[in-house]
Amino acid sequence: MAWVWFHRFGSPPHFYRLATRLGPWFGWSALLLCLAGLIGGLVLAPADYQQGDGFRIIYVHAPSAWLSLMVYVVMASSAAVGLIWRMNVAHAVAASCAPIGASFTAVALLTGMLWGRPMWGTYWEWDPRLTSELLLLFLYLGYMGLRNSIDDLGRADRASGLLAIVGVVNVPIIHYSVIWWNSLHQAPSVMKFGRPTMPASMLLPLLAMLAGFTCYFVALLLTRARAEVLRRERSAHWIAAALAAPAGSGTGTGAGSAGEVPA
Amino acid sequence: MMKFLAMGGYALYVWPSYALTVLAVILNILWARSALRTARQEALRRLAAARPASTMSYEVGT
């Protein structure tokens, strides 16, 4: 059963249809979750007893940092699936991850700097957490640069896929850096064993933002991966059928602007 | 309202963080959509070029 599913997922027409149908669900869930998280985080949550209202940066900083890591893991695992099973759709997914991951790594770094200035007294410190996150940005940029420098799509997929897989060692280093080394950065307050060290009024908006950003990423990824799948399919006849429908409309029931991310 | 905007004296750090994040969120949506639009147009052009004479199919565009 699992293999049937795996092969169906790997078939471009099936993937394209599925992505078109699922996209809006993730997009609208993301919008609702982020709205709830923003209201909870900016309005309802009390000020922190140490950091005052400055702690509210966490509601954009932590979800961006979470995306920067999760997107990398998705990118490296899809690249691995693509390399092992020679699956074009997996390579398309991996390639679609990079620009999203790079932009949210940059956002995590910049919002972290804006948070560090009032709390630590400095925008930047060559601290293990900050340095390894900066390295993550360079990994994304290197991946994209490598892809752009190779004209042959198959060779670009293989070379950049290897780079993505090698670079995955950086992910646990970033996550555990605040525990392994003496870091300026505070220890994780959500992803840890035992109970989170935050009251529910602060934690719930953060969880909503984390879930919202995750849904947003999936919606973006599905849109980008559809574009990549189209680029890879040279003369397949299914494209004619898929494109016969007006832009953005799905094959399933009319769920609004299917496949697009709501603005 | 002013109290909310002042963010307890941290307005200078809180609001730029939020503005930056919102900007990245919107830009990513626009980028993804334009990538899909470009890919669709290129695929349509390839189809149009291949259809009239399938014996001498060649690809137009990139």
Side-chain angles (χ1 to χ4, degrees):
Chain A
M1 272 309 274
W3 282 101
V4 174
W5 177 84
F6 190 69
H7 282 290
R8 274 171 68 92
F9 189 76
S11 119
H14 187 258
F15 175 85
Y16 192 91
R17 270 199 308 274
L18 195 68
T20 310
R21 216 172 312 152
L22 290 180
W25 291 98
F26 283 100
W28 290 111
S29 309
L31 190 67
L32 291 180
L33 284 163
C34 286
L35 279 179
L38 283 177
I39 294 169
L42 283 174
V43 184
L44 301 178
D48 185 66
Y49 79 103
Q50 275 183 322
Q51 303 194 356
D53 286 317
F55 97 98
R56 295 185 201 279
I57 294 176
I58 199 173
Y59 298 111
V60 287
H61 175 72
S64 308
W66 155 246
L67 275 198
S68 74
L69 294 180
M70 188 199 58
V71 173
Y72 197 92
V73 173
V74 172
M75 180 172 93
S77 356
S78 328
V81 170
L83 285 174
I84 296 167
W85 285 286
R86 295 174 172 274
M87 194 186 279
N88 243 327
V89 168
H91 282 306
V93 168
S96 310
C97 283
I100 310 172
S103 50
F104 282 96
T105 307
V107 170
L109 283 166
L110 291 169
T111 55
M113 291 168 79
L114 284 165
W115 198 0
R117 179 74 189 127
M119 301 306 164
W120 302 339
T122 177
Y123 284 113
W124 188 262
E125 189 65 46
W126 291 101
D127 168 278
R129 170 56 73 83
L130 277 61
T131 311
S132 51
E133 182 78 10
L134 184 64
L135 180 63
L136 183 70
L137 179 63
F138 292 148
L139 276 170
Y140 277 123
L141 295 179
Y143 176 93
M144 287 155 70
L146 185 59
R147 291 192 66 84
N148 276 335
S149 67
I150 304 174
D151 285 331
D152 180 63
L153 210 50
R155 280 187 57 225
D157 282 339
R158 285 192 293 279
S160 63
L162 277 177
L163 174 67
I165 292 166
V166 171
V168 89
V169 295
N170 191 34
V171 171
I173 293 180
I174 296 173
H175 183 68
Y176 290 107
S177 57
V178 289
I179 298 166
W180 290 343
W181 295 290
N182 218 341
S183 172
L184 262 181
H185 196 283
Q186 65 197 61
S189 36
V190 179
M191 301 237 308
K192 57 179 246 171
F193 296 108
R195 292 165 61 84
T197 48
M198 268 180 152
S201 55
M202 290 179 174
L203 182 63
L204 289 176
L206 183 55
L207 293 179
M209 289 301 279
L210 290 168
F213 268 55
T214 307
C215 288
Y216 164 77
F217 160 65
V218 175
L220 272 185
L221 181 64
L222 291 176
T223 306
R224 278 192 173 274
R226 279 166 67 201
E228 281 288 331
V229 165
L230 282 183
R231 274 184 60 203
R232 271 147 221 271
E233 291 297 312
R234 285 282 130 184
S235 53
H237 58 275
W238 67 267
I239 287 186
L243 296 188
S249 81
T251 48
T253 52
S257 59
E260 312 289 338
V261 189
Chain B
M1 189 63 193
M2 286 313 286
K3 193 167 165 284
F4 175 69
L5 287 180
M7 274 290 146
Y10 290 108
L12 213 59
Y13 305 102
V14 172
W15 295 123
S17 302
Y18 277 77
L20 208 72
T21 310
V22 170
L23 185 74
V25 163
I26 292 171
L27 279 181
N28 264 294
I29 294 173
L30 298 180
W31 282 332
R33 287 182 158 191
S34 88
L36 184 58
R37 203 173 323 119
T38 310
R40 290 179 70 100
Q41 280 161 0
E42 277 174 10
L44 283 174
R45 234 180 322 173
R46 284 201 303 271
L47 282 177
R51 202 171 285 150
S54 55
T55 45
M56 45 173 292
S57 69
Y58 58 91
E59 282 158 0
V60 177
T62 53

